Amino acid sequence: MCPYRGTVNALADLDRRIAGCRACPRLVDWREEVARTKRAAFADWTYWGRPVPGFGPADARMLIVGLAPAAHGGNRTGRMFTGDRSGDVLYQALYDIGLASQPTAVTADDGLELYGVRITSPVHCAPPANKPTPGERDTCRPWLVQELNLLRPTLRSVVVLGAFGWQAALPAFAEAGWSVPRPRPVFGHGARVPLDGFELFGCFHVSQRNTFTGKLTPAMLRDVLSTAAERAGLRGRTAENLTTGPPYDG
């Protein structure tokens, strides 16, 4: 089980605790081995090599739930969806609709800001072959439950990327006190499920397998994110209908 016990009274404290977790031996060994051996293109980098906390403001009205950090993305940079092709697609879409300050995410100190949006994952360590085990998913769940509890006062919409994230997130919502329908809703791109006080949206994952084959196009991604942002009361924009003024009312 995760070593965290008790109540976390601030999201920053939770993030620090997540970054120090060593609960899953296989994931600890893998993330640290990747950080030692590196990829040739990043030979000069000092890899993060630890669990990757969520990214975004503590008063986020919209949450995006992925799968797990990439070995040479978040595991290298220390920030969700930063430094890999999946992040390139996601942050471009968030920028296009006015919920990110820039379209790229290269390093943890590149100045990127998210407006009213937070990004997290049900597994915080990079897994071999991008496939956490069910046991690793379940061990990591208390972190997501606590994050949901801390975001609850402002959270109005959640976008889950992919079936794995969907299956991992639904039990976390239930443990955090939301009423999840029975039988549990089935994942699908464009799925939309009302829960207590917020709405859950399904979206194909921004993996290269999906984006390179056209299973998920930029327009499809923008559409889901825009709809979820509207549900959350975030005033963004779309590439087809740009608006002026601040994109986020706070």
Side-chain angles (χ1 to χ4, degrees), residues 9 15 77 106 146 159 166 182 213:
N9 58 14
D15 290 345
T77 63
V106 181
Q146 191 64 40
V159 176
W166 185 271
R182 292 282 188 174
T213 62

Side-chain angles (χ1 to χ4, degrees), residues 21-245:
C21 185
R22 301 183 64 84
C24 300
R26 187 183 79 114
L27 297 187
V28 171
D29 290 347
W30 172 253
R31 78 191 191 210
E32 293 181 356
E33 175 65 17
V34 169
R36 283 192 299 269
T37 58
K38 307 180 183 181
R39 178 175 282 173
F42 307 119
D44 295 336
W45 277 75
T46 299
Y47 275 51
W48 172 258
R50 291 184 276 165
V52 180
F55 170 54
D59 62 348
R61 300 178 66 85
M62 174 175 158
L63 181 67
I64 298 173
V65 180
L67 191 163
H72 301 281
N75 189 57
R76 171 172 58 92
T77 63
R79 194 174 70 189
M80 287 285 173
F81 283 103
T82 298
D84 59 40
R85 295 290 183 88
S86 295
D88 292 343
V89 174
L90 178 60
Y91 287 117
Q92 179 70 62
L94 288 171
Y95 176 78
D96 286 344
I97 65 172
L99 297 181
S101 63
Q102 60 193 47
T104 57
V106 181
T107 65
D109 59 356
D110 59 11
L112 173 65
E113 294 182 69
L114 299 182
Y115 304 129
V117 180
R118 184 169 171 86
I119 301 175
T120 193
S121 63
V123 176
H124 286 276
C125 291
N130 293 319
K131 293 181 179 179
T133 67
E136 289 161 350
R137 173 201 63 199
D138 295 346
T139 297
C140 212
R141 184 180 300 145
W143 297 125
L144 180 57
V145 171
Q146 191 64 40
E147 190 168 14
L148 290 170
N149 283 329
L150 292 170
L151 293 172
R152 187 172 193 134
T154 58
L155 192 62
R156 297 296 178 267
S157 69
V158 178
V159 176
V160 181
L161 303 175
F164 180 95
W166 185 271
Q167 293 163 1
L170 289 176
F173 296 141
E175 287 186 29
W178 278 283
S179 297
V180 176
R182 292 282 188 174
R184 286 178 178 167
V186 177
F187 171 78
H189 183 82
R192 190 168 177 173
V193 181
L195 297 179
D196 303 329
F198 78 93
E199 199 153 6
L200 177 66
F201 296 82
C203 180
F204 290 142
H205 196 278
V206 288
S207 65
Q208 292 185 55
R209 180 176 59 186
N210 288 340
T211 57
F212 282 11
T213 62
K215 182 177 182 179
L216 179 67
T217 67
M220 291 168 64
L221 178 59
R222 286 196 304 268
D223 182 60
V224 173
L225 294 176
S226 296
T227 304
E230 181 179 1
R231 172 63 181 85
L234 299 176
R235 183 159 58 97
R237 64 178 188 267
T238 65
E240 296 79 18
N241 182 28
L242 299 179
T243 61
T244 58

